[in-house]
Amino acid sequence: AQSVAQPEDQVNVAEGNPLTVKCTYSVSGNPYLFWYVQYPNRGLQFLLKYITGDNLVKGSYGFEAEFNKSQTSFHLKKPSALVSDSALYFCAVRDGGNMLTFGGGTRLMVKP
Amino acid sequence: KAGVTQTPRYLIKTRGQQVTLSCSPISGHRSVSWYQQTPGQGLQFLFEYFSETQRNKGNFPGRFSGRQFSNSRSEMNVSTLELGDSALYLCASRRTSGGQNNEQFFGPGTRLTVL
C-alpha cells in the first residue's frame, strides 16, 4: 500500500525567506509524486509533479520540488516566500494505478 | 477552458436523509474521481469513474455510491446520512484513466453539513 507523510502540521516563515515543506512517501514501484495547494474554501490547485527525469521539478508560482529516491522524499521549496503563499499544502503519490494518496497536509504561514 | 464545476457548493442535511452531489469535469476529460476531506481523516479517495464505469473504489461503506453519465458528468450519492459524513467533497477530473502525464484537476468542492 502506498502512503505519504508530511511531518509538519505547520511551517512558519518570514516573507522573503526561503521555505521548505517536507514530504516523504512509500510506494511499490516507480512513484508519481504531486504537490497541490488549497486556499480557504477552495479546491486543490495543482502545483507540480514528478514522473521521471530531473530530480528538481519546477512548478507554478515559483515553487519547485526535489525528488530524492534514496530518502524517499519530495520536499517542496521556494527561494523567497510571499504572504500570498500562505495556504494548505498537500503532497500526494500515485503508483501505476489511478488513485492519489495524500499526506495530511501542511499549513504554511508566511508573515510580513 | 472552464474548470471542474461542482454543485451545489454548500448543503445542509439532517441525519438519515440522502444527498446527491454533482460534478462536471473539464471538457474532454473522461475520468472523474471523488474525494472526501475532513479535519480528522484528511483527504480520502472515494471512487473513480471512467467511461461510465467505476474503475477504483476507496474504503467507504456502501452508503456512498456514484455514477457517471455519457457526457462524463458524475454524481455522488450518500444515503442515510450520519454526522460523520460532514465534509468537503471534492471532485477531480483528468483526461484518461491511468497513464503518466495525466494529473488531476480539482473542483471547488461541495461543503456538506449533516445536523
Side-chain angles (χ1 to χ4, degrees), chain B residues 43-61:
Chain B
L43 275 157
Q44 296 187 87
F45 172 77
L46 280 155
F47 27 65
E48 180 193 14
Y49 285 86
F50 178 76
S51 293
E52 303 177 64
T53 302
Q54 188 179 90
R55 295 293 292 265
N56 294 284
K57 190 176 190 305
N59 190 24
F60 278 82

Side-chain angles (χ1 to χ4, degrees), chain A residues 32 34 36 38 41-44 46 49 51-52 88 90 94 96-100 102-103, chain B residues 9-10 35 37 43 45 48 56 88 90 94 97-104 106-108:
Chain A
Y32 301 154
F34 303 82
Y36 286 87
Q38 186 177 36
N41 299 316
R42 303 284 294 277
L44 275 67
F46 170 78
K49 66 182 178 185
I51 303 298
T52 186
L88 190 55
F90 290 94
R94 177 162 61 93
N98 305 321
M99 187 181 78
L100 275 177
F102 286 89
Chain B
R9 291 293 310 278
Y10 302 91
Y35 293 83
Q37 185 178 18
L43 275 157
F45 172 77
E48 180 193 14
N56 294 284
L88 181 67
L90 292 165
R94 56 183 167 179
S97 181
Q100 287 188 355
N101 210 15
N102 193 18
E103 63 265 23
Q104 293 183 339
F106 284 79

Side-chain angles (χ1 to χ4, degrees), chain B residues 68-90:
Chain B
Q68 187 180 33
F69 302 95
S70 58
N71 61 358
S72 295
R73 189 177 70 85
S74 177
E75 287 182 348
M76 190 193 107
N77 186 75
V78 188
S79 62
T80 320
L81 283 166
E82 300 176 0
L83 294 179
D85 296 334
S86 295
L88 181 67
Y89 290 88
L90 292 165

Side-chain angles (χ1 to χ4, degrees), chain A residues 69-88:
Chain A
K69 189 173 183 178
S70 62
Q71 298 185 3
T72 61
S73 67
F74 189 56
H75 300 331
L76 182 70
K77 299 173 186 278
K78 187 173 183 182
S80 178
L82 299 172
V83 172
S84 58
D85 292 331
S86 298
L88 190 55

